[in-house]
Amino acid sequence: MKNTQPATFKNKKKSAVINLEKGKLPPQALDLEEAVLGAMMIDKKGVDDVIDILNDDVFYKESHQLIYNAIFTLFQNSEPIDLLSVSNQLRKDGNLEAAGGDFYIVNLTQKVSSSAHIEFHARIILQKYIQRRLISISSEIIEEAYDETVDVFDLLDDAEAKLFEVTQGNLKKGSEDAEGLVNQAIKKIEEISKKQGMSGIATGFTRLDELTSGWQPSDLVILAARPGMGKTAFVMSMAKNMAIDFNEPVAIFSLEMSSVQLITRMISSETGISSGKLRKGSLERHEWEQLNVKVKNLSKAPIFIDDTPSLSIFDLRAKARRLASQHGIKIIIIDYLQLMTAGNAAGGNREQEISMISRNLKALAKELNIPVIALSQLSRAVETRGGSKRPLLSDLRESGAIEQDADIVSFIFRPEYYGLTEWDDDERSPCEGQAEFILAKHRNGGLDNIRLKFTGHLALFSDLDDGFGNEFQSKMNSAIEESSVSPSDAFDPPPSQGNDDGVPF
């Protein structure tokens, strides 16, 4: 008998079969989950090997999540981990039946004989979880992309942030209880005590480090001053200290000067050769030898400079995430905030744009858990004000949100800039070659005015009593003697083109 089914019905049936055939299960490795949990209960070494790799979310099966949570609780409390203790912990948590009961837990321990290869198995479980997370993120992105009310740049930034979290293994968590946070805080305090009180990134300026304990993770630090006061010179001196003396990876986003100009400043301060001579190339033979010896430390320093002009806050966050992922940067420096743009997502006046940029810089510091230092201009009010020219918080240019969002607001003040020869204190001490680092806001610490030495022709800030100028030549001679490069090995310099003009750049 001839089939009289309508064509439309046959097509629908065929389509249903095809869809069923293409159905997919989320990536998973249940057999390895069982093996890892079993190994953790029969061998303490297995727990030590994978406890910092896994968390309960990476397990696909809910009962496995409950069992891992019980193991983790026992580990935190420094209690024995075995078949009986895990079963008892599940019973105390009210999760024994949901985890499969005693029989299921016994079966887990019978499936393995040792914890051999447990780390390898754990990493496969983690990979399956990352695959599931990527599928989930992709689905969210697709759904939001169809929503016409969602700003496309917000969507891009959110998508990149979620992918960065997966890459870093720092997937967003819910709230944490007090017990866990207290344990974390105690561990951090113990680590700080071993570093002699330096909980953050050391700047290389003794009194500043004593006051702040270094720049702290997740802090937004604003450094403001009038043009020509030495903002860039200060952060370049600081970046050099961090990268060369403490081997901390530093990222510098320069919107004002080129990367070659910045690195030339660092060469000047590191070698003791004036910036004027470096610009002209008018070096004596011994200075070429100094350059050849001292520049080696700088060339190996973990410094990453990006001189993209008119950088948007969106592009900066994307670049910063990549630098954190690829090079493990520990601090970000931005020179300077007012040259940044809000991108196409901007709206309103310039003050609102600056507010949005400062909020995003604070969010970036928190996301990457590293300090972000942003240079800022001051308004002209400081120039027209009578009496002391020391900057105030009210002098911050274009937005009060900068002061609100920042954890630290600081200023650079050099009396010489205004033609003064003495400090305006009771002692009326000479201020030649000196600067003041003013800590005007410090959310988690005290305030102070810290005096520093400023060597203009080297664009260098240093501790006021470090004796840099007097001792530099003897240090340089020692460095040359210890180096494999001897004066005879140094390359011949070009003919001298005149003396240094002594003008800092």
Side-chain angles (χ1 to χ4, degrees), residues 268 272-279 287 457-458 500-502 505:
S268 175
I273 301 171
S274 72
S275 55
K277 283 193 171 187
L278 291 175
R279 283 202 313 275
E287 290 173 326
H457 67 285
L458 301 179
D500 174 33
D501 57 12
F505 60 94

Side-chain angles (χ1 to χ4, degrees), residues 7 28 51 59 82 85 104 135 146 159-160 233 257 262 279 283 313 315 332 337 348 387 482 488 493-494 498:
Q28 55 187 282
I51 201 72
F59 291 92
D82 55 36
S85 62
Y104 186 73
I135 291 169
Y146 278 108
E160 186 167 40
M257 299 175 64
L262 287 180
R279 283 202 313 275
L283 278 63
I313 184 63
D315 289 335
I332 293 173
L337 189 150
E482 294 173 4
S488 60

Side-chain angles (χ1 to χ4, degrees), residues 377-379 381-382 385 390-397 411:
Q377 293 283 25
L378 291 177
S379 68
V382 68
R385 189 167 56 234
R390 276 188 178 82
L392 307 171
L393 287 171
S394 57
D395 296 324
L396 282 171
R397 186 175 168 185
F411 303 109

Side-chain angles (χ1 to χ4, degrees), residues 228-234 236-237 257 261 264-270 272-279 412 414 416-417 431-435 452-462 468-469 500-505:
M229 196 66 74
K231 299 185 300 295
T232 304
F234 178 83
M236 288 302 102
S237 300
M257 299 175 64
Q261 286 177 317
T264 303
R265 281 196 172 198
M266 289 188 171
I267 291 172
S268 175
S269 60
E270 179 69 7
I273 301 171
S274 72
S275 55
K277 283 193 171 187
L278 291 175
R279 283 202 313 275
I412 295 288
R414 288 194 299 115
E416 280 185 295
Y417 180 87
C431 63
E432 182 181 358
Q434 294 182 27
L452 300 169
K453 181 177 180 179
F454 177 64
T455 310
H457 67 285
L458 301 179
L460 174 68
F461 282 81
S462 55
F468 179 87
D500 174 33
D501 57 12
V503 179
F505 60 94

Side-chain angles (χ1 to χ4, degrees), residues 369-441:
N369 197 35
I370 61 176
V372 172
I373 299 177
L375 306 193
S376 176
Q377 293 283 25
L378 291 177
S379 68
R380 290 190 177 90
V382 68
E383 306 287 352
T384 58
R385 189 167 56 234
S388 174
K389 301 294 185 182
R390 276 188 178 82
L392 307 171
L393 287 171
S394 57
D395 296 324
L396 282 171
R397 186 175 168 185
E398 291 183 313
S399 178
I402 297 175
E403 176 187 347
Q404 177 183 328
D405 294 328
D407 298 279
I408 292 176
V409 178
S410 56
F411 303 109
I412 295 288
F413 173 62
R414 288 194 299 115
E416 280 185 295
Y417 180 87
Y418 298 105
L420 304 175
T421 58
E422 296 178 335
W423 289 105
D424 56 352
D425 55 14
D426 294 337
E427 298 178 1
R428 311 299 296 181
S429 53
C431 63
E432 182 181 358
Q434 294 182 27
E436 205 167 51
F437 183 90
I438 302 169
L439 210 59
K441 175 189 176 182

Side-chain angles (χ1 to χ4, degrees), residues 237-360:
S237 300
M238 186 173 64
K240 181 181 70 70
N241 295 342
M242 292 171 173
I244 294 178
D245 297 341
F246 309 118
N247 199 36
E248 300 284 5
V250 179
I252 302 169
F253 292 91
S254 175
L255 288 82
E256 185 176 34
M257 299 175 64
S258 74
S259 53
V260 174
Q261 286 177 317
L262 287 180
I263 207 69
T264 303
R265 281 196 172 198
M266 289 188 171
I267 291 172
S268 175
S269 60
E270 179 69 7
T271 61
I273 301 171
S274 72
S275 55
K277 283 193 171 187
L278 291 175
R279 283 202 313 275
K280 297 176 182 178
S282 56
L283 278 63
E284 304 296 333
R285 183 177 180 83
H286 74 278
E287 290 173 326
W288 285 104
E289 292 167 0
Q290 282 181 202
L291 179 64
N292 203 29
V293 171
K294 294 295 288 183
V295 81
K296 288 182 177 179
N297 290 334
L298 184 59
S299 64
K300 295 175 182 177
I303 299 172
F304 306 91
I305 301 176
D306 186 309
D307 60 0
T308 305
S310 301
L311 189 66
S312 72
I313 184 63
F314 169 76
D315 289 335
L316 181 137
R317 290 183 70 169
K319 289 171 180 280
R321 289 184 189 116
R322 283 193 288 271
L323 284 168
S325 175
Q326 295 171 7
H327 302 289
I329 56 169
K330 295 299 178 63
I331 189 166
I332 293 173
I333 297 171
I334 301 161
D335 185 14
Y336 59 91
L337 189 150
Q338 279 81 8
L339 290 178
M340 293 187 66
T341 65
N344 294 337
N349 56 33
R350 182 58 179 163
E351 183 175 342
Q352 290 173 324
E353 285 188 9
I354 293 295
S355 298
M356 191 270 278
I357 290 169
S358 68
R359 281 197 306 272
N360 275 272

Side-chain angles (χ1 to χ4, degrees), residues 200-201 203 208 212-217 221 238 242 331 371 373 408 437:
I201 307 296
T203 66
L208 179 57
T212 63
S213 295
W215 300 133
Q216 299 299 311
V221 180
M238 186 173 64
M242 292 171 173
I331 189 166
I373 299 177
I408 292 176
F437 183 90

